[in-house]
Structure formats: C-alpha cells, structure tokens
Amino acid sequence: MKVLVVGGGVAGICLSHELLKQGCEVRLLDNNRNASSAVAAGLINPLVFRRMTLSWRISELLPFAYQTYREIEQLTGTSFLHPLVIRRLFASQQELEFWQKKQLLPEFEPYMEQLTDADLTFPIEQNTFGTGRVKQAAYIDTTPFLEGNRTYFASKEILLEETFDHAFLDPQTGVYKGEAYDFILFAEGKDGKYNPLFSHLPLQQTKGELLTIQSDTIYGEESLNRKCFLLPLGNGRFKVGSTYVWDTDNTEPTEEGAQTIAENLRSITSESYEILEHRAGVRPTVPDRRPLIGKHPEFSKMVFANGLGTKGYMIAPLIAHELVNHLLHGDPLNPECDMVRFEKE
C-alpha cells in the first residue's frame, strides 16, 4: 500500500507513523509553513474547566497518546513529552463545589486529585476560592517534536519539502505528479479550507495568540490555569495563552492579542515578567468540535484528516490510528468523527 500524506503538523506526523507501523510505503509532503502545531502550547489536559467535565473520549485518547508519543520519542531519538501538574485556580464558589462533587465520582477519580487543605489555601494572592490539581496532564514540547520528526522522515527519504499542487492531481486514479498512490491523505490544518476536493465541509479557521515570557518570581512548579494557562518551561520561562479569533487565517500576532493575554494573566499572578516571544497560529476547528475524517464521497482514494481543534496533540494519535485502520482494514469510523455527518445529500 502506497500512501501520500499532505501536511506535516501533528496530524500528518501521527498518520505517517501509523501507516509505517502497519507496513505502508509512505511519502510525507510538507511545505514547512505550519500554522497551528508549531505555535500550539501542546497541552494535554483531561478536563474541561468551564463546566468541570471530562474531555471527549478521554479514557481512550489519553493512554493511546502517551503510548504513541513514547514510541515516537524512541524512534526519533528526541524528548518532547513532559508530565505536568495543572493547578486550576477556581473562579467561583460554584466551581469549587463542582470539583468537590465530581472528585468522588469513579469516572473523574483518575484525573482529579482529592482536594486538600493545602489546595484550598494554596499560597498565591489570586487564590480566592481554592485550587484543584489535575492528574495525568502533560505537554508536548512542540519544537523538538516537529523538528525531530522532520529529521527522522528526511533520514528515511520519506519527506518531500514542497507545496501540494492540485493541478498535478488526478483524484480518480490517485496519481500525483506521475506517481500512483492507493490513498492521498490531506492533513493540511487551516489550509484544508481551500482544498477544492473538500471545500463543502464546514472547516473553520480559529486564530490563537501565545506569549513566551521570562520571570524569576512567578511560581513555576506547576501549570496554573484561570482565564488562561501559564505553562512553565523551566529556567523562569513560561508559555501563556491563548486567545480566540474566529474566521481568519491571519497568522500575524497583534497588540490586541498580547493585551488580552496580559489581562487574563493578571487573574493568575501580578508578578512582573518580560515578553520573549509573541506568536500567532490558526487552529482548524469544526462547529461541533469533533474531527473531520473520511474518504471523499466520489473519489475514494482522496481522504480528509482535519479539524482536530484546540486539543490536537491529545486527539491526533488515536484518530490517526482509527483512520488508518478504516482505510487498510475497513474498520468503521467513530460516527462523531466521520465527515459523512456533513456530506450534502
């Protein structure tokens, strides 16, 4: 089986590894202009704080992601998966009470530490209603992840550094630039919106901005969260984010974005800091917040793998596994991910 993967972000990387693992001949085409995976903080958080609920399919996604990333670390000789404690600063008495109730439920126990007096009296000035600690969280250090995989695929002569050109594609036969493929998988992130084969799908472009800051006085033993996330990177450096601007593919950072992040950060700390870097990216999102995967309704060799949204690093490994099993073995897709839910009749 010969497969071309278009797009070298987290989705394309996970798809390429899964295809190789299952014995396929793979080519990964990437233009090295990543607009989401390279900018993302790479946080893996099993909870949704706003309603104090579990992330979608967390009991399946989380162990599969950890297993996959450890395997990729071994293959590429890089280190990018880092365990993390996320401490939520409760924003209200109601949020505290939600945590107190849900920490006793069997399905929440693997992801919530039982509240202690130390959590409730955590010594930070913005702690008004107490804090709670998330278990099994982590983050992917995105730079070594992306660079390590590019180096690995290049060493295997798998990587093609160029932009895909639909003028050279025959979608019926799966021939691209004279090469015949059993499948062509489009994992193009925000640029999937411009793919003429899949323009009927409701892929959205959601901009987010991120700061990297330096401070010798901000607490850096855990990741703090309220209105924004404060992710410690070591040596007094932190990533802080993020913002949400809908329906734009502009990847330029803005002063307004920086001000929004700074204002949100004040809900966590009033300590001083220096801004080292300000970046912006565009996430591929979907109205129902579920991935868009599956075969084109007319051209069965053309496949879409997109819409991983804000939790792409947590979602990508299992979704890639399920899509490859669908293509190679005919396994059914999860109906919440199958893009047929949006196909026109």
Side-chain angles (χ1 to χ4, degrees):
M1 196 74 74
K2 187 174 181 180
V3 183
L4 175 64
V5 178
V6 182
V10 64
I13 287 170
C14 289
L15 283 164
S16 298
H17 279 294
E18 185 65 37
L19 288 160
L20 289 167
K21 192 175 181 179
Q22 299 208 35
C24 295
E25 181 182 349
V26 178
R27 295 290 181 271
L28 174 60
L29 189 154
D30 183 58
N31 60 14
N32 202 23
R33 293 201 297 268
N34 192 283
S36 180
S37 298
V39 181
L43 277 170
I44 296 177
N45 180 2
L47 296 182
V48 179
F49 291 131
R50 184 167 45 183
R51 296 183 181 87
M52 209 58 76
T53 56
L54 296 177
S55 288
W56 174 70
R57 296 184 67 188
I58 188 62
S59 63
E60 303 167 86
L61 289 165
L62 199 60
F64 199 90
Y66 286 155
Q67 176 186 333
T68 299
Y69 288 132
R70 290 186 185 110
E71 290 174 357
I72 295 174
E73 283 183 325
Q74 290 292 318
L75 283 172
T76 60
T78 54
S79 175
F80 51 77
L81 174 62
H82 303 289
L84 182 71
V85 174
I86 298 177
R87 183 179 292 275
R88 172 66 173 182
L89 280 66
F90 299 138
S92 65
Q93 182 66 26
Q94 183 185 50
E95 195 173 295
L96 166 61
E97 291 170 0
F98 280 159
W99 189 291
Q100 288 172 324
K101 292 176 183 176
K102 293 190 173 182
Q103 68 180 1
L104 303 174
L105 301 177
E107 63 268 32
F108 282 84
E109 189 278 331
Y111 314 110
M112 284 179 156
E113 294 282 5
Q114 295 278 316
L115 292 180
T116 66
D117 289 341
D119 292 323
L120 297 175
T121 59
F122 186 70
I124 191 169
E125 61 185 292
Q126 278 73 6
N127 176 17
T128 307
F129 302 101
T131 70
R133 287 168 293 143
V134 181
K135 296 192 285 188
Q136 296 199 57
Y139 78 96
I140 301 295
D141 193 343
T142 57
T143 297
F145 172 75
L146 294 169
E147 292 181 354
N149 277 287
R150 287 184 70 84
T151 300
Y152 174 76
F153 291 131
S155 73
K156 300 289 185 183
E157 298 184 344
I158 288 170
L159 182 64
L160 304 172
E161 298 192 67
E162 58 185 80
T163 298
F164 189 89
D165 188 342
H166 283 267
F168 295 97
L169 171 67
D170 182 341
Q172 187 69 54
T173 62
V175 172
Y176 179 68
K177 290 190 173 181
E179 291 281 334
Y181 296 95
D182 294 284
F183 295 107
I184 298 180
L185 274 59
F186 293 96
E188 303 163 290
K190 76 173 183 66
D191 291 337
K193 188 175 179 68
Y194 309 121
N195 188 319
L197 292 168
F198 299 98
S199 59
H200 60 287
L201 295 172
L203 189 71
Q204 300 170 322
Q205 298 169 323
T206 305
K207 182 177 181 178
E209 300 188 42
L210 194 73
L211 297 179
T212 302
I213 65 172
Q214 178 83 41
S215 173
D216 294 329
T217 55
I218 292 177
Y219 175 75
E221 298 302 311
E222 301 164 324
S223 178
L224 303 179
N225 183 292
R226 185 166 70 187
K227 289 191 177 181
C228 65
F229 62 80
L230 180 66
L231 174 65
L233 305 175
N235 298 317
R237 291 187 308 119
F238 302 82
K239 283 186 178 180
V240 192
S242 177
T243 62
Y244 294 86
V245 178
W246 284 265
D247 301 320
T248 178
D249 69 348
N250 182 300
T251 58
E252 292 298 317
T254 65
E255 182 59 33
E256 181 184 9
Q259 289 176 357
T260 298
I261 295 171
E263 181 179 335
N264 290 339
L265 182 56
R266 283 195 287 272
S267 72
I268 294 177
T269 181
S270 60
E271 298 289 341
S272 61
Y273 58 87
E274 174 190 358
I275 296 176
L276 302 179
E277 187 179 39
H278 180 192
R279 301 184 71 183
V282 178
R283 317 169 185 93
T285 59
V286 185
D288 64 2
R289 300 185 180 184
R290 299 293 180 261
L292 284 172
I293 62 174
K295 297 178 183 177
H296 189 278
E298 182 181 353
F299 306 116
S300 61
K301 294 188 175 187
M302 304 294 104
V303 182
F304 203 56
N306 213 317
L308 300 188
T310 60
K311 293 181 178 283
Y313 275 94
M314 186 168 73
I315 292 173
L318 182 59
I319 297 305
H321 176 72
E322 292 180 343
L323 179 56
V324 169
N325 281 346
H326 172 69
L327 299 176
L328 302 187
H329 313 298
D331 292 2
L333 293 173
N334 182 293
E336 291 187 82
C337 302
D338 193 337
M339 69 187 195
V340 73
R341 69 193 190 275
F342 291 116
E343 296 288 359
K344 295 178 181 178
E345 296 183 358

